[in-house]
Amino acid sequence: MIIVNDKMQQNYEYKLIMDMGDVFNNGFKPELTPKEMLELGVFEGHYLNDCKNEFPKDWFDNAKISLDKPDIRCNYFKVKSRQSLKEWQNKGWIIMPDVRGWFQWYCRYYMGRRIKNVDEIQIKRWLAFKRHKAQIEKNCTMYDIECRKKQRQALLQWAYNPFF
């Protein structure tokens, strides 16, 4: 049982019912683990800073973190590629109980939490995001990681490999 007490969520409890990184459903085959994403540099280094007690310690060993405020230098591609949490909320992209959005859901899912209706919605969102990978493949020369850096950073933040 995991008990969450951080800046955005108090006394939220969930049970891990699968082994970590095991049994993904409905075509959900992320290309990066949460640990890999944090090490490469996502969300301007300022996403799960107050959640370290919830997730495995080693996820943060080599993570690119900015403690004070979001810093695009922490992103792998050194570009801003996210909207504010307020914007996510306004657009209905926050699906409870994951108050921080898709990446928080993915971290919890990866650890072994399952919530059928939430998982189905988030997996559909992940599948739909793959269109960005197709746009890069169509418009960029293979391995030109300077091409469409914002889209590549966004792919990284959705657990897609942006290095192709």
Side-chain angles (χ1 to χ4, degrees), residues 43 47 81-106 118 121-123 125-126 128-129 131-132 154 157-158:
F43 305 105
Y47 191 92
S81 67
R82 67 176 181 91
Q83 296 175 331
S84 70
L85 180 60
K86 190 74 160 162
E87 189 66 25
W88 297 348
Q89 292 166 336
N90 290 341
K91 291 186 176 184
W93 294 343
I94 301 297
I95 298 161
M96 299 308 282
D98 304 312
V99 296
R100 296 172 192 254
W102 186 88
F103 185 57
Q104 184 178 51
W105 167 82
Y106 175 45
V118 173
I121 292 167
Q122 295 291 26
I123 289 168
R125 292 180 69 218
W126 177 83
F129 205 83
R131 72 186 182 279
H132 293 283
Q157 293 172 179
W158 279 79

Side-chain angles (χ1 to χ4, degrees), residues 56-74:
K57 182 184 179 309
D58 72 313
W59 286 12
F60 299 95
D61 287 347
N62 298 307
K64 303 230 181 341
I65 300 289
S66 174
L67 296 177
D68 297 327
K69 61 183 181 180
D71 183 348
I72 64 169
R73 294 174 297 181
C74 292

Side-chain angles (χ1 to χ4, degrees), residues 20-37 59 102-103 105-111 114 119 122-124 126-127 129-130 133 155-162:
M20 189 176 308
D22 206 16
V23 188
F24 290 177
N25 297 322
N26 302 325
F28 184 52
K29 294 180 179 27
E31 298 170 357
L32 299 165
T33 67
K35 178 181 175 162
E36 290 169 328
M37 294 167 67
W59 286 12
W102 186 88
F103 185 57
W105 167 82
Y106 175 45
C107 291
R108 291 170 172 173
Y109 185 91
Y110 187 88
M111 286 179 40
R114 297 295 185 270
D119 297 347
Q122 295 291 26
I123 289 168
K124 284 179 186 174
W126 177 83
L127 286 165
F129 205 83
K130 191 170 187 173
K133 192 168 186 171
L155 283 174
L156 176 59
Q157 293 172 179
W158 279 79
Y160 283 101
N161 180 357

